[in-house]
Amino acid sequence: MDKKYIVLLTDFGNDFYVGQMKGVMKNICKNAEIIDLTHNINPQNVLQAAIIIDVSYKYFPKKSIFVCVVDPLVGSNRKIILVKKEGYIFLAPDNGLLTKIISCDAKIYKVVNNRYFLKNQISYTFHGRDIFAPVAGFLARGIKIEKICKRIDKKEINYIYFPKVEIKRYKNKTYFFGKYLFSDNFGNIITNLKIFKGNLDKFFLYVYYRNKLYYKLKLKHFYSEVKKDELLALINSFNYIEIAKNCGDAYKEFLKKFKDFSQINFVLVKNG
Amino acid sequence: MDKKYIVLLTDFGNDFYVGQMKGVMKNICKNAEIIDLTHNINPQNVLQAAIIIDVSYKYFPKKSIFVCVVDPLVGSNRKIILVKKEGYIFLAPDNGLLTKIISCDAKIYKVVNNRYFLKNQISYTFHGRDIFAPVAGFLARGIKIEKICKRIDKKEINYIYFPKVEIKRYKNKTYFFGKYLFSDNFGNIITNLKIFKGNLDKFFLYVYYRNKLYYKLKLKHFYSEVKKDELLALINSFNYIEIAKNCGDAYKEFLKKFKDFSQINFVLVKNG
Amino acid sequence: MDKKYIVLLTDFGNDFYVGQMKGVMKNICKNAEIIDLTHNINPQNVLQAAIIIDVSYKYFPKKSIFVCVVDPLVGSNRKIILVKKEGYIFLAPDNGLLTKIISCDAKIYKVVNNRYFLKNQISYTFHGRDIFAPVAGFLARGIKIEKICKRIDKKEINYIYFPKVEIKRYKNKTYFFGKYLFSDNFGNIITNLKIFKGNLDKFFLYVYYRNKLYYKLKLKHFYSEVKKDELLALINSFNYIEIAKNCGDAYKEFLKKFKDFSQINFVLVKNG
């Protein structure tokens, strides 16, 4: 039989919760191979999860089943949805986590058949183990989606709002106004400014906090283009503009200066 | 041949120690599949490990071999024990980690045959790699327990004390006096109060610190039943009562108020 | 076909970067089994990575492919090298990470053939995913090293400097002068002092900071040989001398006293 991959994305960190999920899945489908995409989503940060699943899924083999559990409303009557797209399957709570995955060619379902849930013990607070894991296990074992789910319409599910980049032109310059999204383990600061075309030399990134200018950064390709401990801006490996410190931690530097990261304005300026 | 699962529970965190153990096991048994239950036990916290193995093992396939290494006495003459129960195998140092696993139907052994240890190099401080990993590897490869171990009696091993819940009745109310156990990655605070029957509306959880009342919390089913950043109490996914903050971190809030968590008293009150 | 192991060592922490690498590798070679050695190298700490790969590789099955990505110069024109030794394969950036692996019997190569890189999308900042992962995947799939790499000479690659232990004899005593290397998850402090022969009773470890003596520690075999919360020195599981606190965290204690760990002098004294 074809090998099936189950790929996990959660905000569970290093605790034993992920281990319990793996036990449940292996109990149902011994041949499934489980891969951790990450369990390091900031607790309850649906937006971060939505971006990371979007920039990651294409690296995995077709037919992979993505189990995405960032689920602050667990236990309430929020739905669990399944999305089929480009040969991949995505499971997530209906909280907008799959907003960027939904597209014209996506089929959307609602998980309904509790015959495929964990027996006798659906907890209120850990559907990752009691519903998501067994459903993923049964899908990996070859149970048809239609046996577990009911087809629904795009309009029946929830979406999240991503902060939009505003663009303004003024005196032969173009201004892109961006916001903070999240930071990574290296302390790289990821903004919602995305890839663009053109010569990097024409760009500068200004960092404002409550209308005061703090940094004017050149746009570079890689970290060691600036001196050690110097800040820079670059287009990162998933095509977002990030601020980094060569051999250092930009996030820690920002923490010292800025109390509320939602008040930071990242202004990308293009000359000409 | 049947696939064998080796499930790891340690306090080693993210360091390379777990990786070395996996190398040793794979060297001995290529077919063994290794699953991380957790490596995030607080350093040397045998009590936490004892609870987590107890509430987790049933989710794994029968015949799984659990390797539990929280081992402050490593290098001393403490025994290593093997427990066989319900078709599962458990390896652990003889420090009480398996206290909750031991029951009438459990067979207990002592690991004795150093032919199945790592050759030429038993370190004093890393029996996880030098003894536990190779023994688990050989068990997964089909070596009989009796070749590696010697049967011993229940009375020959060590147990740990779990803080008991005191129960008092007074004027038509029942009081359950509980203590702090540990917290998880979300900042949920897990107490030793366990599941009980009855209508949740009849219960309140009082949190005292050195005889001063700090919180009076309703018992709820799930996090989003209270407002954002509000504290609540609930029965968690492994049937202990925990205190959580909806979309927040209860542990961080407690840290600001309470210096010594062993001085917190959790008093569950049932009306009627 | 023979099972192939790909073993990962990075400074990527718990983020999704490692997950993306695993997706890429599985896409190329379904049969490869991926093992995490560690992703907890301190960011950009090539020296720590060089030591950990050296003390770990022998525990893994022969033919394992080690993918070592601690790569502060990613995106620049630094080479990626492959080293073949004792039946193992090592991939790393040419920054000295493999210094301790290189020996007379090692064959050294440079990764050159971009046919085996990720298609259409080599980022500047994530060669782990775009070059290392696919190259490892193709090697696991059986592609010959010579198809991907070009043989080069030992003199064509970079090495790092490891702080040397100075040894002095004075009045019937021998003094070994050591330095701080890194600490682990338990707070054990690992020095560059290595194993030696002789009766432990003859040794003491003195800890100086800026020429002031702070600790005089006995050399012991294991943690619980001293009282709870007492510091000790011991030869650890990979044969370096470390300072530990029984049931405690030596690193945290050092942090309170010493601002700059590079200023600590560890002086091992042997009587007679």
Side-chain angles (χ1 to χ4, degrees):
Chain A
M1 205 180 71
D2 229 21
K3 204 185 248 186
K4 283 287 179 53
Y5 295 98
I6 299 175
V7 185
L8 306 180
L9 176 151
T10 78
D11 59 354
F12 294 165
N14 302 320
D15 282 325
F16 61 99
Y17 302 121
V18 173
Q20 288 190 349
M21 286 177 67
K22 289 179 180 175
V24 169
M25 291 186 280
K26 285 290 171 182
N27 233 334
I28 291 168
C29 182
K30 279 196 159 30
N31 289 317
E33 191 168 333
I34 303 166
I35 304 177
D36 300 299
L37 174 51
T38 184
H39 301 291
N40 201 29
I41 301 294
N42 293 323
Q44 295 96 33
N45 194 335
V46 175
L47 185 137
Q48 183 188 9
I51 291 167
I52 286 172
I53 191 65
D54 177 51
V55 300
S56 300
Y57 78 92
K58 286 191 184 173
Y59 295 104
F60 289 85
K62 290 281 175 181
K63 295 190 183 168
S64 290
I65 300 163
F66 293 89
V67 177
C68 309
V69 193
V70 179
D71 195 4
L73 298 179
V74 61
S76 72
N77 63 355
R78 65 94 187 84
K79 287 188 286 293
I80 293 174
I81 61 170
L82 181 154
V83 174
K84 202 178 165 188
K85 181 186 158 175
E86 299 169 24
Y88 296 104
I89 290 173
F90 302 84
L91 281 166
D94 178 26
N95 60 16
L97 199 157
L98 297 178
T99 298
K100 282 181 174 282
I101 298 298
I102 309 291
S103 57
C104 299
D105 58 332
K107 288 185 188 171
I108 305 173
Y109 301 82
K110 183 169 128 181
V111 174
V112 291
N113 191 346
N114 64 15
R115 228 192 96 187
Y116 297 100
F117 299 174
L118 211 63
K119 273 171 203 133
N120 305 323
Q121 46 177 356
I122 306 300
S123 67
Y124 282 96
T125 54
F126 192 10
H127 289 185
R129 177 192 68 196
D130 300 343
I131 302 181
F132 285 92
V135 164
F138 282 113
L139 289 169
R141 213 164 91 175
I143 303 290
K144 296 261 170 265
I145 293 175
E146 288 73 16
K147 287 212 164 178
I148 306 176
C149 300
K150 188 174 158 277
R151 186 80 188 265
I152 57 172
D153 191 86
K154 239 182 246 192
K155 291 171 204 149
E156 295 177 63
I157 66 167
N158 291 304
Y159 298 88
I160 48 168
Y161 166 85
F162 291 91
K164 287 272 181 304
V165 175
E166 278 187 68
I167 305 175
K168 284 182 188 164
R169 256 197 89 75
Y170 179 69
K171 286 191 180 173
N172 202 31
K173 290 184 179 180
T174 316
Y175 297 82
F176 305 82
F177 295 86
K179 284 292 188 182
Y180 172 75
L181 287 181
F182 57 86
S183 62
D184 72 9
N185 188 59
F186 290 104
N188 298 323
I189 288 167
I190 289 121
T191 74
N192 67 334
L193 296 162
K194 287 204 68 179
I195 203 176
F196 51 84
K197 281 166 193 173
N199 183 340
L200 288 197
D201 290 345
K202 288 189 169 175
F203 289 91
F204 281 92
L205 185 68
Y206 293 78
V207 181
Y208 291 89
Y209 188 71
R210 293 186 169 137
N211 299 320
K212 195 184 148 195
L213 177 65
Y214 277 80
Y215 299 105
K216 182 186 171 183
L217 302 171
K218 288 178 196 163
L219 212 56
K220 297 288 184 185
H221 285 111
F222 54 90
Y223 306 114
S224 57
E225 282 188 277
V226 300
K227 273 179 277 181
K228 221 185 138 182
D229 287 323
E230 197 178 312
L231 287 182
L232 73 156
L234 50 74
I235 303 162
N236 72 12
S237 69
F238 47 106
N239 293 330
Y240 284 69
I241 288 180
E242 73 179 29
I243 291 176
K245 189 188 228 178
N246 183 25
C247 290
D249 188 314
Y251 180 72
K252 276 189 192 156
E253 177 162 337
F254 271 41
L255 266 188
K256 280 180 206 154
K257 297 196 171 165
F258 310 135
K259 262 199 178 167
D260 177 2
F261 279 35
S262 74
Q263 299 295 316
I264 306 175
N265 287 305
F266 299 93
V267 185
L268 186 72
V269 183
K270 186 187 177 189
N271 293 308
Chain B
M1 203 181 74
D2 230 21
K3 203 185 249 186
K4 283 288 177 54
Y5 295 99
I6 299 175
V7 185
L8 306 180
L9 176 150
T10 77
D11 59 354
F12 295 164
N14 302 321
D15 281 325
F16 60 99
Y17 302 119
V18 173
Q20 288 190 350
M21 286 177 67
K22 289 178 179 174
V24 169
M25 292 185 280
K26 285 290 170 182
N27 233 335
I28 291 168
C29 183
K30 280 196 156 34
N31 289 316
E33 190 168 334
I34 303 166
I35 304 177
D36 301 298
L37 173 51
T38 184
H39 302 290
N40 201 30
I41 300 294
N42 294 322
Q44 295 97 32
N45 193 335
V46 175
L47 185 139
Q48 184 188 9
I51 291 167
I52 286 171
I53 191 65
D54 177 52
V55 300
S56 299
Y57 78 92
K58 287 193 182 170
Y59 295 104
F60 288 85
K62 290 281 175 182
K63 296 191 183 168
S64 290
I65 300 162
F66 294 90
V67 176
C68 309
V69 192
V70 178
D71 195 3
L73 298 179
V74 60
S76 73
N77 64 356
R78 65 96 188 80
K79 287 189 288 291
I80 293 174
I81 63 171
L82 181 154
V83 174
K84 202 179 164 187
K85 180 185 157 176
E86 298 169 23
Y88 296 103
I89 290 174
F90 302 85
L91 281 166
D94 178 27
N95 59 16
L97 199 157
L98 298 178
T99 298
K100 282 182 175 280
I101 298 298
I102 309 291
S103 58
C104 299
D105 58 334
K107 287 186 187 169
I108 305 173
Y109 301 81
K110 184 169 127 181
V111 174
V112 291
N113 192 345
N114 64 16
R115 229 192 95 187
Y116 297 101
F117 299 176
L118 211 62
K119 272 173 204 134
N120 304 325
Q121 46 176 355
I122 306 302
S123 68
Y124 282 96
T125 54
F126 193 10
H127 289 186
R129 177 192 67 195
D130 299 342
I131 302 180
F132 285 92
V135 164
F138 283 113
L139 289 168
R141 213 164 89 175
I143 302 290
K144 296 261 170 267
I145 293 175
E146 288 73 15
K147 289 213 162 178
I148 306 176
C149 300
K150 188 174 158 276
R151 186 81 189 263
I152 57 172
D153 192 87
K154 240 182 245 190
K155 292 170 203 148
E156 297 177 61
I157 66 167
N158 291 304
Y159 298 88
I160 49 169
Y161 167 86
F162 292 92
K164 287 272 180 307
V165 175
E166 278 187 69
I167 305 175
K168 284 183 187 163
R169 256 196 90 75
Y170 180 69
K171 287 190 179 173
N172 202 29
K173 290 185 180 180
T174 316
Y175 298 82
F176 305 81
F177 295 86
K179 283 292 187 182
Y180 172 74
L181 288 181
F182 57 87
S183 61
D184 72 9
N185 188 59
F186 290 104
N188 298 323
I189 287 166
I190 290 121
T191 74
N192 67 333
L193 296 162
K194 286 205 67 178
I195 203 175
F196 50 85
K197 280 165 192 172
N199 183 339
L200 288 197
D201 291 344
K202 288 189 169 175
F203 289 90
F204 281 93
L205 185 69
Y206 293 79
V207 181
Y208 291 89
Y209 187 72
R210 294 190 166 134
N211 299 318
K212 194 185 150 194
L213 178 64
Y214 277 79
Y215 299 103
K216 182 185 172 184
L217 302 170
K218 288 178 196 163
L219 212 56
K220 297 289 184 183
H221 285 109
F222 53 90
Y223 306 113
S224 56
E225 282 188 276
V226 299
K227 273 178 277 181
K228 221 185 138 179
D229 287 323
E230 198 178 310
L231 287 181
L232 72 156
L234 51 74
I235 304 161
N236 72 12
S237 68
F238 47 105
N239 294 328
Y240 284 71
I241 288 180
E242 73 179 28
I243 292 176
K245 189 188 229 178
N246 183 26
C247 290
D249 188 315
Y251 181 72
K252 276 189 192 156
E253 176 161 338
F254 271 41
L255 266 189
K256 280 181 208 155
K257 297 195 171 165
F258 310 135
K259 263 201 179 168
D260 176 2
F261 278 37
S262 74
Q263 298 295 316
I264 306 175
N265 287 305
F266 299 92
V267 185
L268 187 72
V269 183
K270 186 186 177 188
N271 292 309
Chain C
M1 205 181 71
D2 229 22
K3 203 185 249 185
K4 283 287 178 53
Y5 295 98
I6 299 175
V7 185
L8 306 180
L9 175 150
T10 77
D11 59 353
F12 295 163
N14 302 320
D15 282 324
F16 61 98
Y17 302 120
V18 173
Q20 289 190 350
M21 286 177 66
K22 289 178 179 174
V24 169
M25 292 185 279
K26 284 290 172 182
N27 234 334
I28 291 168
C29 183
K30 279 194 158 35
N31 289 317
E33 191 167 336
I34 302 165
I35 303 177
D36 300 299
L37 173 51
T38 184
H39 301 291
N40 202 28
I41 301 294
N42 293 323
Q44 294 98 32
N45 194 335
V46 175
L47 186 139
Q48 184 188 10
I51 290 167
I52 286 171
I53 190 65
D54 178 52
V55 301
S56 299
Y57 77 93
K58 286 193 184 172
Y59 295 104
F60 289 85
K62 290 281 174 181
K63 297 192 184 170
S64 290
I65 300 163
F66 293 89
V67 176
C68 309
V69 193
V70 178
D71 195 4
L73 298 179
V74 61
S76 72
N77 63 356
R78 65 96 187 81
K79 287 188 286 293
I80 293 174
I81 61 171
L82 182 154
V83 174
K84 203 178 165 189
K85 182 185 157 175
E86 299 170 22
Y88 296 104
I89 290 174
F90 302 85
L91 281 166
D94 178 26
N95 60 16
L97 199 157
L98 298 179
T99 298
K100 282 180 175 282
I101 298 298
I102 309 291
S103 58
C104 298
D105 58 333
K107 287 186 190 172
I108 306 173
Y109 301 82
K110 184 169 127 181
V111 174
V112 291
N113 192 346
N114 64 16
R115 228 191 97 188
Y116 297 101
F117 299 174
L118 212 63
K119 274 174 203 131
N120 305 325
Q121 47 175 355
I122 306 300
S123 67
Y124 281 97
T125 54
F126 193 9
H127 289 185
R129 177 193 67 196
D130 299 343
I131 302 181
F132 285 92
V135 164
F138 283 113
L139 289 169
R141 215 163 89 176
I143 303 290
K144 296 263 170 261
I145 293 175
E146 288 73 17
K147 288 213 165 181
I148 306 176
C149 300
K150 188 175 158 277
R151 186 80 188 267
I152 56 171
D153 191 86
K154 240 181 241 189
K155 292 170 205 149
E156 297 177 61
I157 65 167
N158 291 304
Y159 298 89
I160 49 169
Y161 168 85
F162 291 92
K164 288 272 180 304
V165 175
E166 278 185 69
I167 305 174
K168 286 183 188 162
R169 256 197 90 74
Y170 180 70
K171 286 191 181 173
N172 203 29
K173 290 185 180 181
T174 316
Y175 298 81
F176 305 81
F177 295 87
K179 284 291 187 181
Y180 172 75
L181 288 181
F182 57 87
S183 61
D184 72 8
N185 189 58
F186 290 104
N188 297 324
I189 288 167
I190 290 121
T191 74
N192 67 334
L193 296 162
K194 286 205 68 179
I195 202 175
F196 50 87
K197 280 165 193 172
N199 184 340
L200 287 197
D201 291 344
K202 289 190 169 173
F203 290 90
F204 282 92
L205 185 68
Y206 293 79
V207 182
Y208 291 89
Y209 187 71
R210 293 186 169 138
N211 299 319
K212 195 185 149 193
L213 177 64
Y214 277 79
Y215 300 103
K216 183 186 171 184
L217 302 171
K218 288 178 197 163
L219 211 58
K220 297 289 185 184
H221 286 108
F222 54 89
Y223 306 113
S224 57
E225 283 189 274
V226 300
K227 273 178 276 180
K228 220 184 139 181
D229 288 323
E230 198 178 309
L231 287 182
L232 72 155
L234 50 74
I235 304 161
N236 72 13
S237 69
F238 47 105
N239 293 329
Y240 283 70
I241 289 180
E242 73 179 29
I243 292 177
K245 189 187 228 179
N246 183 26
C247 291
D249 189 314
Y251 180 73
K252 276 189 191 156
E253 177 162 336
F254 271 40
L255 265 189
K256 280 181 205 154
K257 296 195 172 165
F258 310 135
K259 263 201 180 168
D260 177 3
F261 279 36
S262 73
Q263 300 294 318
I264 305 175
N265 287 305
F266 299 93
V267 185
L268 187 71
V269 183
K270 187 186 177 189
N271 293 306

